[in-house]
Structures are given as C-alpha cells and as structure tokens.
Amino acid sequence: MKLVILGSGSYSGTPKPLCNCENCSRARTNPLLRRTRFSLYFERTLIDPSPDLHYHLGRLNRRVERVFITHAHFDHIAGFPELQVFRELDVYSHSQGVETAKRLALLFLGGASPDGRTWRYHGIPFNEWVELGGMVFFHFRTVHQPIENAGGFVFDVKGRKIAVTGDTGPEILKDGDAIRAMEGADLLIAEMTHREAIPKAHLGVKEAIELAKRVGADYTVFAHISHSNYTHEVLEKKVREAGVVGEVARDFTWVEV
Ligand SMILES: [Zn+2]
Ligand SMILES: [Zn+2]
Ligand SMILES: [Zn+2]
C-alpha cells in the first residue's frame, strides 16, 4: 500500500508571506523546499482537508471516498469545500470536527450534503476502536490548546497499522492509551512542528523523536513542520543521529507501507 504526505507544513506554510527567515527565503527560490499545509492520503482516504487541498487533489488526481479530520484548526479543515468534486463521501471526526465541516459545506456549498451529493458525517468517540468497511481505526485525544477537541488516529487497514499523531502537545508522551494504540505501527506520521516544544500545543524536535522511539514504528515520517523550525537538512541529520528509521517529509513524499 502506498501513502503520500500531500502537505508537510504547519499553519502558515513555508514560505510564510513577509517572513524572511532562512527556510522562507530558500523556499521562495527553490520550490522543492516549499511546505503546503498538512494533509495525507492512502487508499481513497484523505486525512485533513488542508487549505491547499485544491493543489493537493489536482496533483494527486485520485478519488477520495473517506475523510478523517484530526481537529478543526484552519490548516487541517479549511479546504473541506474543495471535496465538492466527489459525489459520495464519508466524513469522520469527533463532534467538533464534524460540526465545523458541516458548517463549511453549508456556507460554501449550500448544504451539509450539497445538491447531487451523498455526503455522510460520522461523529466518532475518542479512545475506542471503530470498525467500518474493512478498516478499523482508533481516535485518540491530544492536548492541543486552545482547541477543545483535537486528536490523532490509528488505522488498521489491509493488515497494516498506520498511526497519525495529529497536532499534539508534548503531553502525549505521558499518555499511555495513545502510545499503546500507536505502538508497533508499521508507519508513524508524527508532527514535528517547532525546534522546541510548546506545552499543550506542539512537539519540538526532541519530543517528536522521543515519541517515535516510544511508538517503535517500522518507519516514521515527521511532518507538520513550521517555517521557523531547523532546515530540512538539519532535521534529517537529527533524525538520523537519533537512530530513528524514517525521514522528514517534504510535500508529496510517498511511502510504501
Ligand atoms: Zn496544524
Ligand atoms: Zn519564515
Ligand atoms: Zn492545530
């Protein structure tokens, strides 16, 4: 099975308008260093419809049947109306994610299930395994203030286990339920937003690497990287030196699971 990180960046993307930091300056002249907002795709399943979804879908050119939303921050949900190109859609998130997606569809497409579409919304509980159509998944809660409900997912699909942290504060390192759910994953997608962790908001480089070690996935991809983080090359070096088997995502990094 193949999975693709559609967007490897965080809230403001790289380059961030008007920012002249090293990452933003380099990204303006080298498109390979640009980071669009976080999203990933596997098996007709989209995780997080980012504000860059139009570009992501245009380049990906594959069908989406299921959408999972980690949380209702702009960078993870604002592209939701772009899914109008698909007639049938199942949307999964906790109730806050589902309600926000419905509001966006109502505002921009005229209805939660727009005309001529069959869109179904599924509010899912935190910390329970849910089974549906050949896929089993677990939605764990993360600490990511100021948003009330945020989380990550573990998917069991075709005998492969894929874990996605979503946006999370370093408190996740003390969350036994979340770590147990992710443990032994074939693939972990971990956020690595900042150089230094921000309590109750985002992981730093050290915490993301620590999380990868605790989860012990066969392969780890670090993503959701802020323009103000280290350069891609420095991050790759830090991951390599820590002995983690994996890589730092760029936009459209493909991984075989
Ligand atoms: Zn984010
Ligand atoms: Zn910058
Ligand atoms: Zn967020």
Side-chain angles (χ1 to χ4, degrees), residues 19 21 24 227:
C19 180
C21 76
C24 289
H227 69 106

Side-chain angles (χ1 to χ4, degrees), residues 9-11 38 71 73 75-76 144 167 193 202 224:
S10 69
Y11 194 85
F38 179 77
H71 64 299
H73 266 159
D75 53 325
H76 298 257
H144 182 53
D167 285 7
T193 309
H202 286 295
H224 198 275

Side-chain angles (χ1 to χ4, degrees), residues 1-231:
M1 181 189 353
K2 277 190 177 343
L3 178 147
V4 59
I5 309 294
L6 300 170
S8 62
S10 69
Y11 194 85
S12 54
T14 306
K16 175 183 178 179
L18 305 184
C19 180
N20 290 314
C21 76
E22 186 181 4
N23 283 324
C24 289
S25 303
R26 289 172 75 206
R28 282 195 189 97
T29 53
N30 182 354
L32 287 175
L33 299 177
R34 294 179 73 94
R35 296 191 187 280
T36 57
R37 272 65 66 84
F38 179 77
S39 181
L40 63 93
Y41 176 93
F42 61 92
E43 297 284 312
R44 300 189 296 283
T45 302
L46 180 83
I47 316 295
D48 286 351
S50 105
D52 298 303
L53 189 62
H54 183 264
Y55 161 71
H56 293 158
L57 291 175
R59 185 165 162 188
L60 179 70
N61 203 26
R62 295 191 186 187
R63 184 171 297 280
V64 173
E65 291 176 357
R66 291 176 288 264
V67 180
F68 290 83
I69 299 165
T70 61
H71 64 299
H73 266 159
F74 170 79
D75 53 325
H76 298 257
I77 200 169
F80 187 75
E82 297 285 1
L83 292 161
Q84 62 176 315
V85 291
F86 303 111
R87 284 186 185 286
E88 292 252 344
L89 203 62
D90 284 286
V91 182
Y92 302 90
S93 190
H94 46 76
S95 57
Q96 191 181 8
V98 161
E99 286 314 312
T100 308
K102 278 184 180 173
R103 281 216 301 276
L104 288 171
L106 185 63
L107 187 60
F108 293 114
L109 307 174
S113 183
D115 265 359
R117 315 285 192 283
T118 307
W119 285 12
R120 293 170 288 263
Y121 294 83
H122 311 270
I124 49 176
F126 280 118
N127 293 352
E128 276 178 37
W129 285 96
V130 177
E131 194 175 350
L132 74 107
M135 188 195 267
V136 184
F137 62 88
F138 184 90
H139 193 19
F140 57 86
R141 188 189 276 275
T142 60
V143 181
H144 182 53
Q145 289 179 357
I147 206 153
E148 195 182 332
N149 294 295
F153 290 102
V154 180
F155 301 95
D156 200 329
V157 49
K158 292 186 172 174
R160 314 301 282 169
K161 188 170 169 180
I162 299 166
V164 182
T165 65
D167 285 7
T168 177
E171 293 73 19
I172 195 169
L173 290 165
K174 295 189 205 112
D175 183 345
D177 286 345
I179 303 249
R180 261 190 302 281
M182 290 189 278
E183 229 163 35
D186 293 283
L187 175 65
L188 168 67
I189 312 294
E191 78 125 285
M192 193 189 241
T193 309
H194 295 297
R195 295 184 187 205
E196 308 287 340
I198 299 179
K200 300 183 177 170
H202 286 295
L203 301 182
V205 174
K206 193 174 79 180
E207 291 73 19
I209 286 172
E210 172 68 22
L211 180 68
K213 288 183 168 174
R214 296 272 289 281
V215 170
D218 285 358
Y219 200 79
T220 300
V221 177
F222 297 96
H224 198 275
I225 293 158
S226 167
H227 69 106
S228 59
N229 207 325
Y230 298 103
T231 63

